[in-house]
Amino acid sequence: MDYPLIVDVFFVLLATLAVVSGWRVFATDSMVRASFFLLVSFIAVGVIMILLAAEYLGVAMFFMMAVEMMVMAIFMVMFMMNPAGLNPMMMVHQHKFSIAAGAAVFLVLATVALLAEFPDSPLPADLDPVASLGDELLGDSMLIFESAGIVLLTTMIGVVVLSSHRGRYGAADEGSMPPGLVPGGDPAGMPEEDDEGDGHHHCH
Amino acid sequence: MTLVTLLLLAAALIGIGFYGALSQQSFVMLMMGLELILNGVMLAAVAFWALSGAGAPEGQLLTIVVMAVMAIEMAMGFALVVAVFRTNQADVTEGITELKH
């Protein structure tokens, strides 16, 4: 299927943006910036989806990723020791193996893309992508769609159970000690105390 | 914009995500790698739907399912980060070499 030149130009720009920002996610010092780079990568892919006439999926991608990356940025600030990237930092392990594995995955998939012969059957001219997706979701594939909803509900319950402060066998942070500064070393601080300051008495 | 270039882009995203998921120490960064992999998968699914599948609606349905998987991965990942942080006060993968609690 031939696209007009302007679509090709946009595709090249968006593809470059998606790959470069995807790479910057793991190359920037700031964890918050990393989540926004990931958001840029997702939005570029969402625009490419819209160029491919999948308008509903592209727009759904924008909404979903905008919220998801904000949650990710908040979690970064909550948990990271260095969320703003004030000190240069590279927190990686098995680095060379990872680079080789990532390159190998790309090469294998690229070989498949270049050598395999896929059927060339573009969208019919009279197809309404959004209407056909809606018919499918609430028609033949309704069971799959509803199952996804049930799985999401199960996930919500599981997440509440997992992250509850009161664990299954007592308090979730009982006996919790910070990790050592060096592997196997002394804990780098004291066990977590209750947040209440002096003058508060607990009534257990 | 042809099927081959779209699949090459998807392969690049999956490769970068694979590198990130294997190399990052921070749990949240590790999840970003997994997200990038799913990003490439969704792009490949839409590309096949639009250029090779004659607009069969199951192609779009597959992308919706991958989106649901992505949401589940995020939610469970963050819950596990919270649970690990409660027991170890750490958010790096090295913090749970001994799963004692």
Side-chain angles (χ1 to χ4, degrees):
Chain A
M1 181 175 174
D2 289 328
Y3 287 99
L5 180 66
I6 184 77
V7 173
D8 285 333
V9 172
F10 266 107
F11 170 71
V12 171
L13 292 176
L14 289 165
T16 315
L17 184 65
V19 171
V20 170
S21 57
W23 164 64
R24 290 299 301 167
V25 168
F26 302 110
T28 180
D29 286 328
S30 159
M31 299 293 170
V32 174
R33 263 180 226 150
S35 61
F36 284 111
F37 274 124
L38 190 59
L39 176 61
V40 169
S41 179
F42 272 109
I43 285 181
V45 169
V47 177
I48 291 175
M49 284 183 183
I50 293 177
L51 289 182
L52 283 167
E55 300 111 350
Y56 180 84
L57 297 173
V59 175
M61 191 95 151
F62 295 167
F63 288 128
M64 192 170 149
M65 290 310 143
V67 177
E68 219 173 288
M69 291 310 134
M70 291 317 294
V71 174
M72 234 174 194
I74 290 169
F75 263 78
M76 287 294 191
V77 175
M78 274 165 65
F79 286 116
M80 288 302 299
M81 60 195 103
N82 180 25
L86 298 177
N87 306 316
M89 158 165 96
M90 192 79 180
M91 286 183 64
V92 290
H93 50 193
Q94 50 182 7
H95 197 211
K96 286 191 177 130
F97 170 75
S98 307
I99 293 176
V105 166
F106 170 71
L107 285 179
V108 169
L109 292 175
T111 314
V112 172
L114 288 171
L115 296 185
E117 285 186 16
F118 298 109
D120 181 23
S121 47
L123 297 178
D126 58 345
L127 180 82
D128 183 351
V130 182
S132 88
L133 175 63
D135 283 343
E136 183 71 16
L137 284 182
L138 297 179
D140 290 345
S141 299
M142 193 168 184
L143 183 63
I144 299 171
F145 188 49
E146 296 289 332
S147 310
I150 297 289
V151 175
L152 281 169
L153 174 67
T154 320
T155 308
M156 281 188 230
I157 297 170
V159 162
V160 171
V161 170
L162 270 177
S163 58
S164 158
H165 202 73
R166 187 187 62 200
R168 193 172 167 192
Y169 306 107
D173 55 358
E174 192 179 328
S176 165
M177 290 291 281
L181 288 175
V182 291
D186 290 333
M190 296 298 289
E192 230 177 25
E193 298 287 339
D194 285 335
D195 291 335
E196 283 87 357
D198 295 335
H200 282 265
H201 292 286
H202 290 288
C203 302
H204 286 299
Chain B
M1 189 161 69
T2 63
L3 185 60
V4 171
T5 53
L6 284 161
L7 291 181
L8 283 176
L9 172 59
L13 291 173
I14 293 173
I16 296 173
F18 202 71
Y19 155 74
L22 283 181
S23 71
Q24 297 296 315
Q25 286 186 328
S26 163
F27 281 118
V28 188
M29 295 294 287
L30 192 159
M31 285 194 309
M32 286 193 182
L34 295 178
E35 298 263 306
L36 215 49
I37 293 177
L38 292 176
N39 191 14
V41 171
M42 285 199 288
L43 179 65
V46 171
F48 276 123
W49 166 79
L51 295 173
S52 191
E58 288 87 355
Q60 291 195 76
L61 179 77
L62 178 66
T63 316
I64 296 262
V65 170
V66 176
M67 272 189 191
V69 169
M70 195 178 247
I72 291 166
E73 175 251 315
M74 282 284 287
M76 290 312 272
F78 281 133
L80 288 171
V81 170
V82 172
V84 169
F85 197 84
R86 287 246 164 86
T87 56
N88 281 318
Q89 301 186 27
D91 81 325
V92 291
T93 48
E94 271 79 1
I96 50 167
T97 47
E98 298 171 50
L99 286 169
K100 281 181 177 168
H101 290 283

